[in-house]
Amino acid sequence: MNIGFVGVGRMGANMARRLRERQFHITAVYDTNRATATSLAAELGCAAAQDLSEVTAESDVIFTVVTDDSAMRNIFSGSGDNLLINARGKLFINCATISPQVHIEIENLAHQAGAETLEACMASSIPQAREGRLYLMCGGREDAFRKAEPILKELGSEVRFIGKAGEAAKVKALVNMVMNINTAGLAEGLALGAALGLDLEMLRKVFSQTGASSRVLETDGEDMQNREHSCFFSAAHAAKDSGIALELGRSLGLDLPLARATKEQYDRMVAACDSFVAELATELVAGDR
């Protein structure tokens, strides 16, 4: 079976590496960052496709790991070049965190082209992608899921079929909404503890043994305490994902005040970063003069 990847940032690249190690044939990779695709292709011994349609032509199964709704629509329905050109008989496994409605749109487009799609929403991070320990929530037609299942089991420690197209994306939106709320709450709790002069090692231990415990505490608490700011999940992605959940709430006439407040926090982080980068660029330009 020939497998292609579209979107080979840190998650997509490590999924491809994992499948290559498990003796799957990776035939083509594509990324808007050409250097990234070329480097990974050299590592895996496959083609660095210049066109999306080339990935489809070279592959039986194509994984997509892109950033947002716009990117997803573009790779499947962009004018001139897209994944659905001559796609009959192909299976697309879409792993990005995007709006449920977009998954439904893509499934409909794929079926018109004689292809199949499956959403395989990921809850985990880069090490889990590399080690085959992703938590995968799948949505689409069950026959597409059964076809993809042997591959997905090499990528995930848990592979769960949720239901029809869009359903897994709803679950993933709620996972990330709650995770983002927990992350903001933990950061505030540790910050207040530091301001009070408390021993943060002790505080984290108490949190872990009481109602303040969370998976975020387990995975991120020590880094927060140590102000280790290596970025594995950006504020921009957190804001985008909370926005998906808020839109789902709005569509039902529901107000989600904690999710809204958390998204506003992440939006402020993104704005602060953009402002800093703009100021730095101005200073560098001024220095060149």
Side-chain angles (χ1 to χ4, degrees):
M1 180 180 293
N2 296 328
I3 297 176
F5 274 82
V6 173
V8 286
R10 289 178 294 184
M11 290 297 287
N14 280 309
M15 293 164 67
R17 291 182 179 108
R18 167 68 180 178
L19 289 180
R20 177 69 178 81
E21 286 182 357
R22 301 302 293 172
Q23 308 306 310
F24 287 90
H25 187 206
I26 308 300
T27 50
V29 297
Y30 175 95
D31 198 278
T32 53
N33 185 327
R34 182 69 180 159
T36 295
T38 301
S39 175
L40 182 65
E43 177 186 339
L44 299 179
C46 69
Q50 297 192 48
D51 299 307
L52 292 162
S53 56
E54 182 183 345
V55 181
T56 301
E58 295 290 335
S59 311
D60 304 305
V61 176
I62 300 95
F63 281 85
T64 69
V65 194
V66 297
T67 53
D68 55 25
D69 290 357
S70 176
M72 190 69 167
R73 288 184 171 117
N74 187 59
I75 64 173
F76 280 98
S77 59
S79 60
D81 177 51
N82 65 63
L83 289 173
L84 292 180
I85 294 173
N86 298 320
R88 183 167 297 278
K90 306 301 173 94
L91 171 62
F92 297 92
I93 301 176
N94 303 315
C95 301
T97 301
I98 59 173
S99 302
Q101 183 57 40
V102 176
H103 277 296
I104 296 170
E105 290 174 18
I106 298 306
E107 182 185 66
N108 290 336
L109 287 172
H111 277 284
Q112 291 171 25
E116 296 179 283
T117 65
L118 183 76
E119 63 204 68
C121 306
M122 303 181 291
S124 300
S125 191
I126 296 161
Q128 289 77 32
R130 186 68 183 85
E131 298 160 8
R133 295 188 293 110
L134 294 169
Y135 191 105
L136 296 170
M137 297 158 280
C138 301
R141 299 192 178 189
E142 190 164 0
D143 57 346
F145 171 70
R146 296 303 173 197
K147 186 182 296 186
E149 193 174 16
I151 307 171
L152 297 178
K153 284 185 174 180
E154 297 293 348
L155 291 170
S157 57
E158 180 75 26
V159 180
R160 180 181 291 272
F161 182 67
I162 303 295
K164 63 183 180 181
E167 295 301 293
K170 293 175 185 176
V171 175
K172 177 62 190 300
L174 298 185
V175 167
N176 281 22
M177 181 190 82
V178 173
M179 177 184 72
N180 291 341
I181 292 169
N182 286 343
T183 301
L186 176 60
E188 288 191 5
L190 290 174
L192 179 56
L196 292 169
L198 296 174
D199 178 346
L200 295 188
E201 193 76 29
M202 173 275 295
L203 186 60
R204 285 197 300 112
K205 186 70 172 178
V206 171
F207 281 174
S208 73
Q209 296 171 334
T210 62
S213 185
S214 70
R215 181 66 182 275
V216 172
L217 173 65
E218 177 186 336
T219 58
D220 296 351
E222 185 176 2
D223 284 345
M224 287 185 183
Q225 176 186 333
N226 296 331
R227 296 185 176 271
E228 166 53 57
H229 297 306
S230 298
C231 181
F232 297 102
F233 188 72
S234 71
H237 280 119
K240 181 259 295 182
D241 294 352
S242 288
I244 293 172
L246 285 169
E247 186 56 39
L248 288 172
R250 277 193 290 269
S251 72
L252 298 170
L254 298 177
D255 182 31
L256 304 171
L258 289 179
R260 186 177 66 253
T262 303
K263 183 180 186 304
E264 290 169 357
Q265 288 281 67
Y266 286 115
D267 284 338
R268 283 195 287 272
M269 290 174 66
V270 173
C273 180
D274 289 345
S275 177
F276 172 77
V277 170
E279 289 177 10
L280 181 60
T282 300
E283 290 176 7
L284 289 173
V285 169
D288 287 342
R289 293 174 185 167

